[in-house]
Amino acid sequence: MKKKLLIIIAIGILPVISLAQISSNSCDDAETASPIIGNTVYTVDGFDGTAVSTSCSTTGIGTHGEWYKYTPTSDMYIYITSELSQNFNVAGGNNSHDTFVHIFTGTCSNLSCIAGDDDSGYQDTSRTGFSVAANETYYIAWDNIWDSASFDFKIVEIDTDLMITFTNSTINAPGLDRGVVDMNGDHLDDIVSINSTNITINEQQPNGTFSSTMYSTDGIYSASWSMAAADYDRNGYTDLVYGNSSGAHVLKANSDGTAYSVAATSHSVFTQRTNFVDFDNNGDLDIFLCDDVAPNEYFINDGTDLTLWEGDDPNAPIAEGLGLYPSGGNYGSIWIDYDNDGDADLFIAKCGGEPARRQNELFKNNGGLSFSDVSVNTGMDKVLSTWSSAWADFDNDGDMDCFVGSSVSSEPHVFMTNRLEVPLDGNGNPIDGGPLFEDTTSTALPEGFYSFGHENVPYDFNNDGYVDIFSNGNMLINKGDGTFVVYSYNTTNPDYEPREGAVGDLNNDGFLDIFDSGRIKYNDLNNDNNDRNWLKIALDGTSSNINGIGARIVVSSPSFNSNATNKSQIRDVRSAEGFAYMSSLNAHFGLGTDTSADSVTIYWPSGTVDVIVNPTINQTLVVTEGETLGLPSTASDDMILFPNPTKQFLNVNMNVIGSERAIYTVFDITGRRVLNNRLLSNTIDVSMLSSGNYILRIINNGKINTQKFIKQ
Amino acid sequence: MFHKHTYLLKVLIPLVALMASCSDDDRYIGVVPEQISPVIFNIDSLPYTNLSTYNFFEGNMSNLDPVYGVLPYDLNSSLFSDYALKKRFIWMPKDSSATYINDFTSFDFPIGTILIKNFFYNDVLPNMVTKLIETRLMIKREDDWTFANYEWNDTQTEAVYTSDNKFVNFDWVYKGEPKNVNYKIPGISECFTCHNKYGTPLPIGPKPQNINRNYSYEDGSKNQLAKWVEQGYLKDNFPTFINSLVSWSDETQPLDLRIRSYFDINCAHCHSDESYCEYAPMRFAFNETEDLSNLGVCVESIFYINPDISYVVKPQDIDNSALYYRLNSNQDQYKMPLIGRTLKHEEGVKLIEEWINSLNTDCD
């Protein structure tokens, strides 16, 4: 019997093709029927066809099958999936339609299995992926062994050149796998694993091999919940911070990197995400500790000592606190520059408990240890149980967007698009009245992405110039048009594919790899099997922190620049991404098929700007702070300051307002950055400065203008 | 409000006991001297610095001999806390009593109620002595419960208030074998993490379903609810039948009741709506666990542990069951319960293994 037609109505902006299609009752019937096509939802409306004669799974064979024919027009990767929301929670409790599928090639008289799946999808749905060849015919047979009810499915097609796969390789790394980060200053990513009394570092050698050394520590807390890394004492060897539910500590490398000893400890924090960041912008890295059950804690680095503060201590130096909810709920802190004003802001992924406890938080860094809670104004105050978020300029429009990865199936993932490009008022809020971040989940994220967990990190794994998101065993592949397609790894495979881990370049080939569960997952893409190019940038700070954490790096290339549809690519240097792991401190840029780059601009946290013109690509570019002449200057009379001297305000007469990236910075006579912000109005408040001589610098559209002024 | 200890009271106690046996006799009504609890309770001064200030116990404090009004109680099913032994007491101010809400919700306790829970070990090495570690109080004040922890000194003469995490490391003999524990006295934040719902602090143990059992009082065995009514601590408006937990270690009880009782007291406080771990799909409260999917049976495990584990509980397959892995692990990032243990509860793990192996649901 032929099945009735189903008309799918496209909703929203995504171009969903809607076609009517019916299942066939046998392979022979399917052979003469119209083939089904990709990215279209079809309904299997009950079972009365012929069962398969050969099972493509160990599950067996049911009494009936429903058949389809699929003939791709080009080589590509596809997966066939019933992991669609309409198939979930239909059989009471946590049960979906219990689907089962076989896929064959060949002729109906001589079918051969190429894939089959029972329950790889969410709940009891099916999902199986494989490469397909152009004009080859594939027969899809759904099987009723568990369930004869109607359900929906679709074929998701992924262009072969978007695909990101990995190959497993073992390495001797005893302990908790925690880091992929340069530990010895050679800018090659090393592998860090932690035991209770020792640290194992697999040092990457120039030839891609690893040299493993175990170092003793006097640490007392395990690295159970997270680790972050940076050279906070600037001795050339990377230090670590990690902890567990009873406390956290800073493990400082000695002068030749042969021992790690406890330099500072919190016995009170229930550690979650840890970060190194210079949030007071004095040139020395501070440390942030997320607390699961209490207000967050932080160490302030004055250049000599680390001083621990509990966030709710009435004497704490950050009066506003950084996440003061009494019972905590702080899981994934990440320091990002969401407002392009040149300093590190804080987003906290929150989880568990009553809605107020799991309401995510965004804090704007005002400088001078002053922070504002901008969660509500910016629209980032979602009530969503999450352990981490991934921040990057996913749409290449010059600002950081955010994927908040849910940890619970009842609260969907959220994708937030930054709208810094719209006109803003003097407080940095869009004048259209909407929040700075627009919830674009429904258009950006693919349907059928129902995998949840702790780890969400943003990297361009296929070097196409569009940042992807690695999320709990799934790759959200950025298609470059504001949308993602999801590829789910088979994490139950004995040679299992990546589930989560630290990210870096573990064979220095410019394609990012993953250290997961004590194994290296090497990216299958390399310089010989595709035409993509890349650039890695490693920073050596001088007046800024030595790792350049907090720096904004901008890379312009022929396809990615201010005149192109895709603006120049941007990265923030961060310690760390995701929830538990420490990923590379080298900034990695895929350049797509661009065979050159025009410039690399580094906005250091100190205020220094370095510009490297026409850098050699497909290499690691090491930039020492201040080594270049920086941005070109405009004629000084382009900008008029008044009054000068001033007691309170400086008026700036310059046509910069509303421009793409106008930032003002005030330096004192020693060259230290004392004020920094986006220039959103003609007036700069300098009332908080002490009397003396200062230099005002304005960066506007890639040029700088500096003028002296006197504060009375 | 002060309740002072009086010398007269001690003299009267034997007389009261005698009269109680004749309480049916109208002639004695009105002449029975009212007993006054000597507990010192000044709600504005709480928590006191020293445990002794409350005057919960008479004689040598470490013997935990309660004064009048401090009523010992026990639970049908009790939480594992690194093999610590526990003695629990409850006290209420004069003329106040708790009210039954339902079987599975803690009683509605009156202001001034104090729950007293003492944690100790027997056979502590090297001298095989009893060692009191901490005494935790929950005090009902106005609308909220206050937590107060007291750490016992080495000489066991006093316990002093502490609000921070503390570790006490020692060896003791358990079932004939020496064992070491780095016992953690929880800070206030950790207490709150388990003892709250909707961000409001709550007791966990004293629910009708877990109090409904007999207790060997000095004057004989009696149902605890009846005793609380007799003491004036509970209004007599609860149903005759209370759907109650069993002792999870009682092998004469059905396995499903034992495991549900174990999960209720060890897991349900976090795995409930609007509680600390509300976002995981499990619901471990006794009144919710007749539905096996609330225990994670055949429910996919969301949080990654290793490639072998895909279910919260896979019947007859402990190696593919996240729940078993977590109860069996001492690693901070995997272990369950997350708070309150550093050692593995061998007997509990064995019970869970037995239960998983007894299940015959087919997850496919």
Side-chain angles (χ1 to χ4, degrees), chain B residues 6-158:
Chain B
T6 63
Y7 176 70
L8 180 63
L9 188 72
K10 282 201 166 177
V11 177
L12 287 174
I13 286 171
L15 181 63
V16 172
L18 180 69
M19 288 177 169
S21 64
C22 313
S23 60
D24 287 342
D25 191 329
D26 285 347
R27 286 175 300 169
Y28 290 93
I29 288 178
V31 298
V32 176
E34 185 183 24
Q35 292 191 79
I36 296 174
S37 174
V39 166
I40 297 172
F41 181 71
N42 181 351
I43 203 160
D44 297 327
S45 307
L46 299 178
Y48 303 136
T49 304
N50 294 326
L51 183 64
S52 61
T53 308
Y54 296 90
N55 202 37
F56 292 137
F57 306 109
E58 56 192 12
N60 187 344
M61 188 166 75
S62 64
N63 291 337
L64 305 180
D65 287 335
V67 299
Y68 177 76
V70 173
L71 207 61
Y73 71 94
D74 207 346
L75 303 177
N76 284 322
S77 179
S78 62
L79 174 75
F80 174 71
S81 311
D82 277 356
Y83 291 107
L85 304 169
K86 298 164 188 175
K87 276 189 182 169
R88 301 173 185 80
F89 301 90
I90 185 170
W91 179 87
M92 291 180 205
K94 185 171 180 293
D95 299 332
S96 50
S97 55
T99 310
Y100 168 93
I101 299 171
N102 57 38
D103 293 354
F104 50 86
T105 302
S106 290
F107 293 104
D108 181 10
F109 287 103
I111 292 170
T113 301
I114 306 180
L115 303 170
I116 307 155
K117 191 173 175 185
N118 306 279
F119 292 71
F120 64 100
Y121 290 74
N122 288 334
D123 300 332
V124 173
L125 292 168
N127 299 322
M128 298 292 283
V129 295
T130 295
K131 180 181 175 69
L132 279 151
I133 310 294
E134 59 165 331
T135 296
R136 301 182 193 168
L137 307 184
M138 285 188 71
I139 304 166
K140 183 82 185 286
R141 305 166 75 165
E142 298 296 327
D143 297 325
D144 254 355
W145 289 89
T146 297
F147 305 99
N149 278 14
Y150 292 84
E151 181 183 7
W152 283 78
N153 62 13
D154 287 342
T155 52
Q156 304 277 287
T157 54
E158 183 60 277

Side-chain angles (χ1 to χ4, degrees), chain A residues 610-651:
Chain A
D610 277 301
V611 181
I612 296 91
V613 179
N614 296 323
T616 305
I617 62 167
N618 296 334
Q619 63 140 353
T620 301
L621 175 67
V622 181
V623 182
T624 301
E625 184 173 6
E627 72 173 34
T628 70
L629 295 172
L631 294 169
S633 298
T634 57
S636 60
D637 58 5
D638 282 1
M639 178 169 80
I640 298 164
L641 293 187
F642 63 95
N644 187 5
T646 182
K647 288 182 175 166
Q648 189 165 13
F649 295 106
L650 271 179
N651 292 298

Side-chain angles (χ1 to χ4, degrees), chain A residues 198-363:
Chain A
N198 55 61
I199 292 170
T200 298
I201 298 175
N202 277 279
E203 242 176 53
Q204 186 179 167
Q205 308 297 307
N207 66 1
T209 62
F210 287 88
S211 163
S212 175
T213 310
M214 187 178 281
Y215 301 103
S216 65
T217 75
D218 56 354
I220 55 173
Y221 296 124
S222 60
S224 291
W225 290 110
S226 79
M227 185 190 85
D231 181 10
Y232 85 95
D233 65 344
R234 324 180 74 110
N235 74 342
Y237 290 92
T238 301
D239 314 299
L240 305 172
V241 58
Y242 56 78
N244 63 19
S245 61
S246 294
H249 42 29
V250 182
L251 276 289
K252 185 161 86 168
N254 68 359
S255 61
D256 58 359
T258 55
Y260 292 80
S261 54
V262 173
T265 304
S266 166
H267 296 296
S268 47
V269 69
F270 188 129
T271 316
Q272 297 289 304
R273 177 74 262 175
T274 47
N275 312 90
F276 281 97
V277 55
D278 181 15
F279 56 67
D280 59 2
N281 208 63
N282 68 345
D284 296 305
L285 288 167
D286 313 297
I287 296 167
F288 187 77
L289 307 170
C290 256
D291 194 316
D292 188 348
V293 302
N296 295 311
E297 300 189 5
Y298 47 86
F299 291 98
I300 289 196
N301 183 353
D302 64 3
T304 311
D305 297 312
L306 295 171
T307 305
L308 176 67
W309 292 97
E310 296 185 22
D312 56 346
D313 184 328
N315 299 315
I318 300 175
E320 302 86 352
L322 292 172
L324 293 182
Y325 197 74
S327 62
N330 307 290
Y331 282 67
S333 50
I334 186 164
W335 291 81
I336 38 83
D337 182 7
Y338 81 91
D339 55 355
N340 284 2
D341 68 352
D343 50 31
D345 311 300
L346 169 64
F347 179 76
I348 307 176
K350 301 203 68 186
C351 193
E354 61 278 11
R357 187 175 181 271
R358 57 182 202 270
Q359 181 167 336
N360 297 314
E361 294 182 314
L362 179 63
F363 295 93

Side-chain angles (χ1 to χ4, degrees), chain A residues 94 98 118-119 121-124 146 176 178 221-222 224-225 244-246 267-268 270 292-294 327 331 351-355 357-358 385 387 407-409 452-454 491-493 496 499-500 516-517, chain B residues 164-165 167 184 189-190 192-193 196-200 274-281 291 293-294 298-311 326 331-335 338-339 362-364:
Chain A
N94 296 305
D98 195 349
D118 187 353
D119 288 342
Y122 181 65
Q123 294 181 351
D124 291 327
W146 306 121
L176 291 173
R178 281 295 173 264
Y221 296 124
S222 60
S224 291
W225 290 110
N244 63 19
S245 61
S246 294
H267 296 296
S268 47
F270 188 129
D292 188 348
V293 302
S327 62
Y331 282 67
C351 193
E354 61 278 11
R357 187 175 181 271
R358 57 182 202 270
S385 277
W387 288 42
S407 294
V408 51
S409 57
F452 305 92
H454 300 163
T491 52
T492 56
N493 186 318
Y496 60 98
R499 170 72 200 206
E500 60 181 48
D516 170 21
S517 303
Chain B
D164 297 329
N165 296 328
F167 283 94
K184 186 178 187 180
S189 300
E190 288 202 358
F192 182 82
T193 301
N196 90 88
K197 197 168 172 64
Y198 301 99
T200 302
E274 308 301 345
S275 292
Y276 173 76
C277 207
E278 48 76 35
Y279 57 95
D291 177 352
S293 69
N294 279 344
C298 293
V299 173
E300 286 178 43
S301 176
I302 287 178
F303 299 124
Y304 179 64
I305 296 175
N306 67 46
D308 296 330
I309 295 177
S310 51
Y311 287 95
R326 291 181 182 282
Q331 289 195 73
D332 208 53
Q333 70 273 36
Y334 297 128
K335 73 180 163 78
L338 184 67
I339 289 174
D362 183 351
C363 295
D364 290 327

Side-chain angles (χ1 to χ4, degrees), chain A residues 555-575:
Chain A
V555 171
S556 298
S557 64
S559 303
F560 301 92
N561 63 69
S562 55
N563 298 318
T565 308
N566 284 286
K567 304 306 175 198
S568 303
Q569 295 191 58
I570 60 173
R571 302 284 188 271
D572 294 329
V573 180
R574 303 173 190 152
S575 170

